Amino acid sequence: MWTFYKQLFLTLCIGLLGALIFQLLHIPMPWLLGAIAAVLCVQLFTKMNLQWHKYFRNIGLIVAGYSIGFAFTKEALQDIQQFLSSIIVLNLIFIVLFFAISYLVATRTELDYSTALTCCVPGGMTQIVAFAEEQGNMNMAVITFYQVLRVLLIVGFVPLIITGTGENIVTVDGTFSWRLLALLVICTLAGWLAEKVRIPTGYMLGPVFLLMGLNIAGVEVPKMPLSYLHIAQLLIGIYIGLLLKKEDLHLSKKHVFYAFLSAGLFIGSAYVLSFVMKHLYDLDFRTGFLSIVPGGLDQMGIIAASVHANVTVVTAFQLFRVLIVSIFLVPFVKVFVKKVKT
């Protein structure tokens, strides 16, 4: 047990060092990207045994959920209504793109189509990997690599793309209060309950729904200090950095190439469609891009909160995608796999 705690502390120090280096180099979102880069490099290129507990990730999600829920005011919810048609259309576009990319991967890499579908599902990485493990006859190394690589590329490149647009980001810091601390404790309970009833990304959406309800009820909610969000980025960044293992890299060059290509096609499509959104709704680029790009709800949510995009719009788009993946895509893949087996 003592060895495990030492490994946890070592992992935290490596992630923190990476964040500080990225901050000195003025790289965007250093607390997230620096932690990811440092932990990923140490894990892949050294023999150090790094450990991290999902509880730390959950703490980061609770803080991110608070920050996102804070923005869900009555006015913001009314503004979301104008995007409903675009939310549906854009998700239909990505479903078509998902099937097209899956077919490309299947034909070019000689994977069976069910495995290719599982590799290319745009979102729901944890759910997809768990589903693949249940099947017992899928290539877990390939599926994990495709899913993890997509998350790493999106989380790594999206902040760089956003900050390269030249749009000004105005930050307003909050202050600590006992009321804020009490709300965070209640948010922790809300996240735990949401996770228990199997709400996707429950530790983030629980606080989001809680604060949304408080805002609608007219309860004054204190703004969170930016330092709390930095801590959340660090905790989540270390978790993401540890997703890719050395054993996941022992794949053919063909699989590595098409893993990068499939992720690039998703990101590139989102980049193009974000300009359409900007034209239709006069929406700032970072909000449009974060809304469309098929990352996870938790990753895009914390990036949106960190770069001060319109988190209500981003969360609405990403939440709808989570529902599409959970209600339509995953069940479709399950049915398809069963038919292939029989």
Side-chain angles (χ1 to χ4, degrees):
M1 182 62 71
W2 176 243
T3 301
F4 177 71
Y5 286 131
K6 285 199 298 185
Q7 291 168 341
L8 279 179
F9 182 71
L10 176 62
T11 306
L12 175 62
C13 290
I14 292 171
L16 183 59
L17 179 62
L20 294 174
I21 292 173
F22 270 47
Q23 190 170 45
L24 288 173
L25 296 175
H26 301 289
I27 295 175
M29 292 190 64
W31 294 92
L32 180 71
L33 299 186
I36 292 174
V39 170
L40 184 63
C41 288
V42 169
Q43 172 148 288
L44 294 182
F45 303 116
T46 73
K47 294 183 179 180
M48 289 187 186
N49 185 15
L50 302 183
Q51 297 287 344
W52 201 237
H53 204 287
K54 66 178 182 179
Y55 291 156
F56 296 120
R57 166 186 173 261
N58 293 341
I59 291 171
L61 292 179
I62 291 165
V63 173
Y66 184 103
S67 184
I68 293 168
F70 178 85
F72 269 91
T73 61
K74 291 180 182 179
E75 296 77 13
L77 289 172
Q78 291 173 353
D79 291 340
I80 288 175
Q81 295 177 8
Q82 64 179 309
F83 299 106
L84 291 179
S85 59
S86 293
I87 290 175
I88 296 171
V89 171
L90 287 169
N91 275 281
L92 289 175
I93 291 173
F94 269 91
I95 288 174
V96 173
L97 186 64
F98 156 66
F99 285 116
I101 293 175
S102 299
Y103 179 77
L104 173 68
V105 170
T107 54
R108 296 293 184 178
T109 63
E110 299 177 355
L111 285 174
D112 61 275
Y113 195 53
S114 58
T115 301
L117 284 170
T118 311
C119 287
C120 300
V121 173
M125 180 189 69
T126 303
Q127 186 180 3
I128 290 300
V129 172
F131 157 72
E133 288 176 339
E134 291 171 1
Q135 303 310 305
N137 61 344
M138 287 187 167
N139 191 327
M140 286 303 303
V142 173
I143 292 170
T144 302
F145 182 76
Y146 272 74
Q147 288 290 335
V148 171
L149 183 69
R150 176 178 52 79
V151 171
L152 288 174
L153 288 178
I154 288 175
V155 176
F157 283 105
V158 165
L160 300 178
I161 294 171
I162 291 171
T163 55
T165 62
E167 294 178 348
N168 293 323
I169 299 175
V170 179
T171 59
V172 179
D173 204 356
T175 56
F176 171 80
S177 67
W178 291 108
R179 187 179 181 187
L180 171 64
L181 184 60
L183 269 176
L184 284 172
V185 172
I186 297 173
C187 283
T188 302
L189 178 60
W192 180 79
L193 290 173
E195 194 76 12
K196 285 297 181 182
V197 297
R198 299 186 180 277
I199 294 177
T201 324
Y203 276 101
M204 189 176 84
L205 287 182
V208 168
F209 293 147
L210 173 64
L211 265 73
M212 186 192 306
L214 293 176
N215 282 331
I216 293 174
V219 177
E220 186 178 351
V221 178
K223 184 173 178 58
M224 178 180 292
L226 293 175
S227 58
Y228 286 32
L229 203 56
H230 293 162
I231 294 172
Q233 290 176 37
L234 177 67
L235 299 178
I236 293 174
I238 292 173
Y239 172 82
I240 295 173
L242 289 175
L243 290 176
L244 192 62
K245 311 293 184 183
K246 283 184 180 179
E247 52 268 26
D248 296 331
L249 300 180
H250 298 157
L251 300 174
S252 67
K253 293 181 180 178
K254 184 179 289 187
H255 279 309
V256 173
F257 173 77
Y258 280 99
F260 274 95
L261 179 63
S262 60
L265 288 172
F266 279 125
I267 297 172
S269 301
Y271 184 80
V272 172
L273 289 170
S274 63
F275 286 101
V276 177
M277 286 283 291
K278 187 175 182 180
H279 175 73
L280 289 176
Y281 299 105
D282 194 26
L283 204 62
D284 64 275
F285 174 79
R286 60 180 180 271
T287 297
F289 191 46
L290 289 171
S291 299
I292 300 170
V293 71
L297 173 61
D298 47 353
Q299 287 96 12
M300 295 307 100
I302 196 168
I303 292 174
S306 302
V307 301
H308 301 275
N310 188 327
V311 294
T312 55
V313 175
V314 173
T315 304
F317 272 80
Q318 293 292 342
L319 180 56
F320 193 85
R321 175 174 291 115
V322 168
L323 295 175
I324 289 293
V325 169
S326 301
I327 296 172
F328 175 72
L329 291 185
V330 173
F332 172 83
V333 174
K334 286 182 178 179
V335 171
F336 186 86
V337 170
K338 285 181 180 179
K339 287 187 175 181
V340 169
K341 285 182 178 180
T342 56

